[in-house]
Structures are given as structure tokens and as C-alpha cells.
Amino acid sequence: MTIDSIAYGKRARVGVLLPSGNIAAEAELRAILPYDVGIHVTRLPLKGSSREELLGMTEGVEHAAALLADTEPSLIVFHCTAVSTWDPAMDSSLCQRISVSTATQATTTAQAIINALRALNAKKVVVIGAAPVKTGHEERLNFEVVLRLCLSPALTWNPLKF
């Protein structure tokens, strides 16, 4: 192994805020991102899908983002769909809080989903997730949810349990 064979992030570094119980995202992100994009992760507490647990994950977002900012990432991603889609204002609120506390551009999984659906010109969608949340994004963005399924958070975060 040489120093060049290690993915430090020559082109870019991405900071990722993950739920504490998520064991899948790091491996999946490493698999899909270009080799020269580094991934730096920290976690926020979330092991369940109750309203209190989901909203509680946002409480330490500035501190966790500040830890990621020490790696000088190009972007910080709040990687929890259930939380970032909680209501139509949640994703923009999280991005603002992260950006203000770190001076780094931020995004969320909610924004990624919305951008992808817009790029596909999707009008009807099926929502499958770990939390039974009706977000309000569908009406605001003109998507029709034709089916909504809620899976166990442990199942969706652990591909080894499929």
C-alpha cells in the first residue's frame, strides 16, 4: 500500500453528520463517491424513530458540525432523511445552522431527494423509510405520494439484517 492508495480527499472532502445507529452510510458513500473525494463523519444521537428522538438529533448539530469543520470539508451533509424531511422548513433550518456555525456550505438528504425528483420530473412517488413521517414536502413541491411504507430503523440502517 502506498500513500496514493489511501483516499484522503485530494479533490474534495465531505463532512457527514450521521445518526448514531447508522452503520450503512459510510460504506455506501465510500462506494459511490469518486476515489479522490474524502469522507469525514461524526455522529448525532439517534437510535429510534419517535418524535422526541428524531427532533432530539438536531440539538447538537452546531457542535457536531464544528468538529467536522476542523477537517476543512468542501461541504457538510446532514444525513438523516427522517429528520431533514420532518417538515418543509427543517432542511433549510439545518443547513443555515450548520453553515452559520462552520462557514461551510451545507445540505441535507431532504434537499438531495427534492433535487433528484425535480431532475427526474417525478410527479408520483413511493416513500419507504425508517420513520412514519408525513412531511408536507409532497404538497409544496407537487409530488403525489401513491404509497408510504415504514420499515424498522434497525432494518433500514443495517444491510446485514436483510
Side-chain angles (χ1 to χ4, degrees):
M1 179 181 296
T2 67
I3 196 77
D4 291 332
S5 66
I6 302 172
Y8 287 114
K10 277 176 131 174
R11 179 172 20 160
R13 288 181 296 282
V14 177
V16 183
L17 296 164
L18 285 177
S20 57
N22 185 316
I23 68 160
E26 289 162 288
E28 291 171 352
L29 289 170
R30 181 70 271 145
I32 63 173
L33 286 173
Y35 179 76
D36 54 355
V37 175
I39 301 168
H40 306 281
V41 175
T42 195
R43 295 177 185 280
L44 292 162
L46 180 63
K47 291 168 95 176
S49 59
S50 71
R51 179 183 194 284
E52 294 76 24
E53 290 166 312
L54 291 168
L55 295 179
M57 185 181 172
T58 68
E59 291 174 8
V61 75
E62 290 89 352
H63 176 72
L67 294 173
L68 284 173
D70 290 344
T71 68
E72 299 180 5
S74 310
L75 175 71
I76 295 177
V77 179
F78 184 90
H79 190 302
C80 182
T81 305
V83 173
S84 64
T85 61
W86 184 262
D87 65 49
M90 182 63 80
D91 61 325
S92 58
S93 170
L94 287 166
C95 287
Q96 181 180 6
R97 290 171 60 193
I98 292 166
S99 294
V100 166
S101 66
T102 64
T104 303
Q105 182 181 351
T107 192
T108 67
T109 46
Q111 289 183 0
I113 292 166
I114 289 166
N115 290 338
L117 291 172
R118 283 182 175 154
L120 294 168
N121 198 27
K123 298 298 178 200
K124 295 182 179 186
V125 297
V126 173
V127 177
I128 301 171
V133 179
K134 183 167 184 356
T135 67
H137 285 290
E138 306 92 38
E139 293 83 8
R140 181 173 61 98
L141 300 169
N142 202 28
F143 301 132
E144 178 188 352
V145 176
V146 294
L147 179 63
R148 185 181 306 275
L149 299 173
C150 177
L151 303 175
S152 159
L155 177 63
T156 59
W157 291 342
N158 187 347
L160 303 176
K161 292 185 179 180
F162 277 106

